Amino acid sequence: MNTSTEARNNETGKAASRSAKTGAARVSQTERAYDQIKRRILENDMAAGFQALEQELAEMLGMSRTPVREALIRLAEEGMVEVRPRHGMRVLPVSADDMREIYEILTSLESTAAELAAARGVTDAEMAELKMTVTDMDAALEEEDLRKWAAADEKFHMLLVKFSNNARLLALVNSFWEQTHRVRLVTLRLRPKPVNSNKDHAAVADAIAKGDREAARRLHHRHRVKSGKMLVALLKEHGLTQL
Amino acid sequence: MNTSTEARNNETGKAASRSAKTGAARVSQTERAYDQIKRRILENDMAAGFQALEQELAEMLGMSRTPVREALIRLAEEGMVEVRPRHGMRVLPVSADDMREIYEILTSLESTAAELAAARGVTDAEMAELKMTVTDMDAALEEEDLRKWAAADEKFHMLLVKFSNNARLLALVNSFWEQTHRVRLVTLRLRPKPVNSNKDHAAVADAIAKGDREAARRLHHRHRVKSGKMLVALLKEHGLTQL
DNA sequence: GCACGCATTAATGTATACGTTAACATAGTC
DNA sequence: GACTATGTTAACGTATACATTAATGCGTGC
């Protein structure tokens, strides 16, 4: 008589950390506000420098100011927006210097992740998953599909961090990647074909497969320093001081 | 920036925006709630596992639920507390495994900071400041003043990160240090005399003075791995599974 | 034309109201 | 006695109310 066990999966279905319980996923307004605003920022619907008052956001999202405020607190803490008392929130632009800072951190954390993954050892399934991203990157380059390449690139980095067996590390790296999302979108078309990145990834994967932690760390570190420098140079070169 | 030195009045201490004419410092309730709750957690007034409802905290702090909620969102984001819908907030205990994760991250970020500081080069004044902490640590050990030693130790690490010229890195390291604060307090008396730590610090300072980035990184990395392992071992040895 | 002070306005910070719903207790069923 | 259904309660999520105060514009004096 009770069919409530049948999941009505018409919800966002995103990376919602809702447990896979039965019943409709009850999403709080605060959560909705957070997801919505973040999505719009990441997809550049709200570009860098975009400003809006709490009330405006509330109307835009069909809710009151309270959940909007709560979402903004989180987004501000993560460095996505800034909240100035009488000016509402502002989507923080990312400068070349911001990118330097973020890449220094990502370089550090990701190469640590590579080392940890190599030290811990990854399962065959995990290694297969990792190598698949390299294959995808190669294929994407062949097809000249930069979007696809970027997706595979991101997947590789995320898997790497996941395999490090450190939840905090994963969350951190994820957060900083998000902050670079817009910038990478733009530079994707300005940079030279990322052939070397593919090679780098393959080499890192190999080192991890061999359990050579020092090599994994060193190779990934070098890879990250290279792409970081390239990106920052690209930004300066094109006068892209604020993204 | 908030060392455990003194439990002064709850002033923000940051902006010093207190103008001469208006005597009262303009601190928002949300900020007061944040500072207060955080201070109590760091000083173990609210021990790990401590629970309280929003309403209780509000009464405790003499304000309404709203600013308490906003403070809790930030504290939760920083990993200090957990907010469960019908159980109020809970001060998150730190397990040995949490310490492993946090130390892996700190090891990574701090050794990067050491490398960056060495690469950038520090001024004479900065180097003097750094060496002063080593002197203080030595003196503290002589006097068997472990509190003082811990303060100097923390100062060294914070200076290191400050000299890296990366604001995000500084904020991150600071945040994770705070999370280990309670644990370090307890282990301070259980661990062997930290003679080697002093030597390590001196060596790192030297490498930075010489501008030897690879040495700075490697030495600090080794230092951190050592103390991290020591700490985790200590926790397990003494059955301190939750702090 | 410019600097300054004051009135106006509106965005915010905070308190409070209120419906919803999870947690707990209690009673009822096998 | 264990388990399930039901009722009660109160903590929360969210909306709203309201006092405060920063930003803005305007008029005044020079």
Side-chain angles (χ1 to χ4, degrees), chain A residues 58-129:
Chain A
E59 279 162 22
M60 190 183 298
L61 299 171
M63 59 183 72
S64 78
R65 278 173 52 220
T66 306
V68 171
R69 276 181 68 90
E70 298 191 344
L72 288 180
I73 290 171
R74 289 185 54 196
L75 290 166
E77 187 95 354
E78 291 171 16
M80 308 273 298
V81 308
E82 175 192 52
V83 177
R84 277 191 314 159
R86 297 275 158 169
H87 303 264
M89 72 133 209
R90 190 171 72 100
V91 177
L92 281 176
V94 179
S95 71
D97 200 54
D98 289 325
M99 283 300 276
R100 172 190 60 80
E101 287 202 5
I102 294 171
Y103 264 74
E104 282 172 1
I105 290 168
L106 281 175
T107 300
S108 178
L109 294 178
E110 284 186 21
S111 42
T112 292
E115 177 177 355
L116 291 173
R120 171 174 82 92
V122 296
T123 67
D124 290 348
E126 286 171 342
M127 184 48 66
E129 217 180 339

Side-chain angles (χ1 to χ4, degrees), chain B residues 26 53-54 65 69 85-88:
Chain B
R26 201 67 255 138
L53 298 173
E54 291 176 2
R65 278 173 53 221
R69 274 181 69 88
R86 297 278 158 167
H87 303 266

Side-chain angles (χ1 to χ4, degrees), chain B residues 2-157:
Chain B
N2 185 9
T3 54
S4 62
T5 46
E6 270 291 23
R8 276 283 142 246
N9 228 346
N10 62 320
E11 297 292 330
T12 45
K14 52 193 302 186
S17 60
R18 181 206 290 263
S19 72
K21 42 184 176 179
T22 62
R26 201 67 255 138
V27 186
S28 75
Q29 296 292 68
T30 300
E31 208 172 329
R32 230 166 52 75
Y34 175 82
D35 290 341
Q36 281 287 322
I37 297 172
K38 184 163 173 176
R39 188 183 61 71
R40 290 178 200 214
I41 293 173
L42 288 181
E43 292 177 10
N44 221 24
D45 287 341
M46 289 180 182
F50 174 86
Q51 290 196 40
L53 298 173
E54 291 176 2
Q55 183 61 47
E56 291 169 357
L57 289 169
E59 279 162 22
M60 190 182 300
L61 299 172
M63 60 183 71
S64 79
R65 278 173 53 221
T66 305
V68 170
R69 274 181 69 88
E70 299 191 344
L72 288 180
I73 290 170
R74 290 186 53 197
L75 290 166
E77 187 96 354
E78 292 171 18
M80 308 272 299
V81 308
E82 175 191 53
V83 178
R84 277 190 313 158
R86 297 278 158 167
H87 303 266
M89 71 134 211
R90 189 171 72 102
V91 177
L92 281 177
V94 179
S95 70
D97 200 54
D98 290 324
M99 282 300 275
R100 172 189 62 79
E101 287 203 2
I102 294 171
Y103 263 75
E104 282 173 359
I105 289 168
L106 281 175
T107 300
S108 178
L109 294 178
E110 284 186 22
S111 42
T112 293
E115 177 177 354
L116 292 173
R120 170 174 83 91
V122 296
T123 68
D124 290 349
E126 287 172 341
M127 184 47 65
E129 217 182 340
L130 199 61
K131 289 203 165 148
M132 178 61 77
T133 66
V134 179
T135 311
D136 285 349
M137 284 170 71
D138 286 339
L141 271 200
E142 289 266 336
E143 303 165 28
E144 308 250 346
D145 187 341
L146 286 177
R147 282 271 190 174
K148 187 176 159 187
W149 178 87
D153 180 51
E154 177 160 349
K155 180 106 192 260
F156 177 89
H157 287 263

